[in-house]
Amino acid sequence: MILETIITSVDTDGKAHVTPFGIRIQEGLVVISPYRPSVTLDNILATQCAVINLTDDVRVFAAALTKRQAWEVVPAEKIIGVRLANTLAHKELKLVSVKQDDTRPQLFLEVIHEVQHQPFQGFNRAQAAVIELAVLASRLNILPKEKVMMEKQYLQIAINKTAGERELEAWGWLVEKIDNFYAEQSGENFA
Ligand SMILES: Cc1cc2nc3c(=O)[nH]c(=O)nc-3n(C[C@H](O)[C@H](O)[C@H](O)COP(=O)(O)O)c2cc1C
C-alpha cells in the first residue's frame, strides 16, 4: 500500500523543503523512492533525517506542485528537520539504508518519534480528487493531454459535490498549472 504524504526535509544550511511523496512501509521501515534529481533525496542523504507529515490540507500538495510559498513549518523535536505547523500527525525519521539506483533510489528510514496533533476527520472525496489531479499535474510532460483532460473532468464531479474552501483553492491552483502548461505548448506549436 502507498500512502500519500508530505515529506519535509532540510539542507545543511537548515533551509526547509516541502514535497508530496508516496511512501510504503516495508518490514517496519518507511520507504521513500525519489526520482532523480530530487532536493528531498539530496537533503535526506546530507542530514540522514526526514519528517513525514500526515495532513488532510490538500493545499500543501497543490502548493508544492505549483511552486507557491512553502507552507509554515516548525522545528522537529528529536531530529534535524522541520514539520508542517498544521498537520494531523507527524513522524520523525532517521535514514537506515539506501538501495542505490541511477533513476529512482530507495531510502529506508526508521520512525524514531511520532506525534498525533489532531484526530482523523473522515474521508472526503474532493481531497482524494485533488491528490489525483496533483499526480496528473506532476506528470504533464509524459501523459497524453486527452488522458489528463478526461480524468480531470471525472474528478471535477467529486469537487462539485464535496469540496470545502481548502479543496477548491487547491483544485484551482492545479487547474491553472495544467491550463498554463497546455497554453504554452500550443503557443510553441504555432510559433
Ligand atoms: C501525491 C503525490 C505523490 C508523489 N510521490 C512521488 C514519489 O514517490 N517519488 C517522486 O520522485 N516524486 C513523487 N511525486 C512528485 C514530487 O512531489 C515532485 O516531483 C517533486 O518535485 C520531487 O522532487 P523534489 O524532492 O526535488 O521536490 C509525488 C507527487 C504527488 C502529488
Side-chain angles (χ1 to χ4, degrees):
M1 184 169 74
I2 293 178
L3 300 168
E4 305 305 346
T5 70
I6 298 293
I7 303 289
T8 41
S9 60
V10 294
D11 66 16
T12 47
D13 294 328
K15 183 169 178 245
H17 189 67
V18 180
T19 299
F21 270 93
I23 62 156
R24 287 184 297 116
I25 309 296
Q26 193 176 308
E27 291 167 12
L29 295 177
V30 173
V31 187
I32 304 174
S33 310
Y35 285 100
R36 293 181 190 274
S38 161
V39 174
T40 304
L41 173 65
D42 295 345
N43 286 353
I44 294 176
L45 293 177
T47 62
Q48 309 280 295
C49 294
V51 174
I52 299 175
N53 300 269
L54 304 175
T55 180
D56 59 0
D57 187 346
V58 288
R59 291 177 302 177
V60 189
F61 290 81
L65 282 179
T66 56
K67 309 223 179 301
R68 286 182 155 73
Q69 63 175 37
W71 229 246
E72 195 187 336
V73 293
V74 295
E77 291 166 22
K78 309 271 188 198
I79 58 159
I80 304 166
V82 293
R83 67 166 174 90
L84 294 177
N86 290 309
T87 181
L88 299 181
H90 85 276
K91 302 185 188 206
E92 302 185 5
L93 313 174
K94 282 223 160 141
L95 185 63
V96 173
S97 62
V98 180
K99 190 172 172 200
Q100 293 294 352
D101 187 87
D102 287 346
T103 310
R104 197 180 192 191
Q106 292 186 324
L107 306 175
F108 294 82
L109 302 106
E110 183 185 4
V111 178
I112 59 137
H113 180 60
E114 58 183 291
V115 184
Q116 181 85 33
H117 302 281
Q118 296 167 48
F120 175 57
Q121 302 292 330
F123 293 109
N124 171 254
R125 290 174 57 205
Q127 288 168 3
V130 170
I131 299 295
E132 287 302 316
L133 193 66
V135 172
L136 293 171
S138 72
R139 297 179 185 163
L140 295 176
N141 281 321
I142 53 174
L143 293 176
K145 181 179 177 185
E146 297 69 36
K147 177 182 164 69
V148 174
M149 299 317 276
M150 205 172 65
E151 295 194 10
K152 174 172 159 269
Q153 197 179 5
Y154 176 72
L155 294 168
Q156 181 82 54
I157 299 168
I159 295 295
N160 293 348
K161 289 185 175 168
T162 73
E165 279 177 22
R166 295 185 312 184
E167 292 74 30
L168 288 174
E169 192 170 24
W171 182 262
W173 293 342
L174 293 170
V175 168
E176 186 182 273
K177 176 184 167 79
I178 293 168
D179 288 348
N180 286 343
F181 177 85
Y182 291 126
E184 271 175 36
Q185 246 192 3
S186 61
E188 275 169 22
N189 288 345
F190 289 118

